[in-house]
């Protein structure tokens, strides 16, 4: 299973976003992760489709959009038109999650489902063939720079077992508090796709070095 490192631009210097994304790309990033927050599902407000459209012009890497918004089904078209490759919606925001995942696929994007730390994995059971990836939040969504929740590797392990039991080919992504000291436990538990904001854009020796340190931690 190939490893994906997805830097989250939430922690980038927005004044120099193009340059920071270029540094991430040159440093070996696989995807660019964009956190969309609405001030309702989560307290913070961040980016919308216009920013995704701008990011689309800054890089050829796949764009991974994480929607932390209520009623995401109202905005799927806009994110598809903006150039999103992978679109992830929170289970907690979707009363008709099956339909929403189908629509994401029909719009030509890779459908992803994300669950909060407090949401049990049995919510995934009926959907294991409807998403390409499951994002397990390893912090409560809304902010960068939070501390990794230590019980999450066990949840990753149980999710991996569920996907296996159902014959699903979906991959497991983790997001929140991913640093060189937490990434390996997630990998050993079954995650292959890693979102990191502070550990990459906030890394003292630069963005490329931040990515390198995470990859080294996976190998170590
Ligand atoms: C949190 C966002 C994350 C965030 C992670 O709600 O979904 O993508 O950028 O930030 P770090 O890596 O700093 O925990
Ligand atoms: Zn995210």
């Amino acid at each position: 299973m190939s490893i994906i490192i997805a830097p989250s631009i939430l922690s980038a210097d927005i004044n120099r976003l193009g340059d920071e994304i270029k540094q991430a790309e040159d440093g070996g990033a696989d995807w660019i992760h964009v956190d969309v927050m609405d001030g309702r599902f989560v307290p913070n407000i961040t980016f919308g489709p216009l920013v995704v459209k701008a990011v689309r012009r800054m890089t050829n890497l796949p764009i991974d959009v994480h929607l932390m918004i209520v009623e995401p089904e109202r905005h799927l078209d806009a994110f598809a038109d903006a150039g999103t490759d992978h679109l992830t919606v929170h289970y907690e925001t979707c009363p008709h999650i099956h339909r929403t995942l189908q629509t994401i696929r029909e719009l030509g994007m890779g459908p992803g489902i994300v669950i909060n730390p407090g949401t049990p994995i049995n919510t995934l059971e009926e959907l294991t063939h409807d998403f390409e990836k499951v994002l397990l939040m390893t912090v409560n969504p809304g902010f960068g720079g939070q501390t990794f929740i230590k019980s999450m590797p066990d949840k990753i392990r149980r999710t991996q077992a569920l996907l296996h039991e159902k014959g699903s080919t979906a991959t497991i992504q983790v997001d929140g508090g991913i640093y060189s000291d937490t990434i390996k436990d997630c990998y050993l538990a079954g995650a292959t796709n890693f979102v990191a904001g502070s550990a990459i854009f906030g890394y003292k020796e630069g963005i490329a070095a931040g990515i390198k340190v995470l990859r080294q931690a996976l190998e170590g």
Side-chain angles (χ1 to χ4, degrees):
M1 193 78 70
S2 63
I3 300 287
I4 303 286
I5 301 278
S8 162
I9 63 164
L10 187 62
S11 300
D13 179 351
I14 303 299
N15 281 319
R16 307 186 312 122
L17 188 57
D19 180 52
E20 300 236 320
I21 287 177
K22 175 85 168 53
Q23 285 184 51
E25 190 166 347
D26 292 348
D30 299 293
W31 293 1
I32 298 297
H33 184 84
V34 182
D35 288 303
V36 176
M37 306 187 189
D38 66 351
R40 292 187 64 202
F41 177 59
V42 292
N44 216 355
I45 300 179
T46 58
F47 316 118
L50 271 179
V51 170
V52 174
K53 202 171 173 184
V55 171
R56 178 71 294 159
R57 291 193 297 263
M58 295 171 190
T59 181
N60 290 320
L61 293 179
I63 299 180
D64 181 40
V65 174
H66 174 190
L67 292 184
M68 287 162 270
I69 63 176
V70 298
E71 301 179 346
E73 61 282 353
R74 295 175 52 207
H75 304 281
L76 305 178
D77 285 355
F79 283 99
D81 291 347
T84 302
D85 297 284
H86 303 276
L87 188 65
T88 305
V89 289
H90 270 267
Y91 170 81
E92 298 85 355
T93 62
C94 293
H96 304 291
I97 183 75
H98 183 272
R99 180 192 291 151
T100 303
L101 292 169
Q102 302 309 316
T103 307
I104 293 172
R105 200 188 289 279
E106 284 161 18
L107 288 168
M109 300 177 286
I113 187 169
V114 42
I115 58 174
N116 282 336
T119 300
I121 66 166
N122 63 16
T123 52
L124 307 172
E125 263 177 37
E126 307 302 325
L127 300 162
T128 50
H129 294 279
D130 302 302
F131 52 79
E132 288 181 3
K133 79 163 151 59
V134 52
L135 166 51
L136 298 176
M137 290 306 299
T138 41
V139 299
N140 286 293
F143 303 95
Q146 301 183 81
T147 305
F148 181 82
I149 300 172
K150 288 195 170 55
S151 55
M152 290 300 121
D154 179 60
K155 189 177 186 181
I156 298 169
R157 219 163 272 121
R158 287 181 285 114
T159 303
Q160 166 90 317
L162 172 68
L163 295 176
H164 184 75
E165 180 199 319
K166 298 278 187 182
S168 165
T169 56
T171 56
I172 300 177
Q173 184 179 50
V174 286
D175 184 4
I178 300 297
Y179 291 90
S180 57
D181 61 346
T182 50
I183 194 168
K184 185 75 181 267
D185 283 350
C186 295
Y187 174 68
L188 292 175
T192 55
N193 186 321
F194 305 94
V195 178
S198 311
I200 294 177
F201 289 107
Y203 192 66
K204 54 185 185 314
E205 284 159 35
I207 293 165
I211 294 172
K212 196 169 167 197
V213 163
L214 291 179
R215 287 203 195 277
Q216 281 168 348
L218 284 169
E219 285 158 15

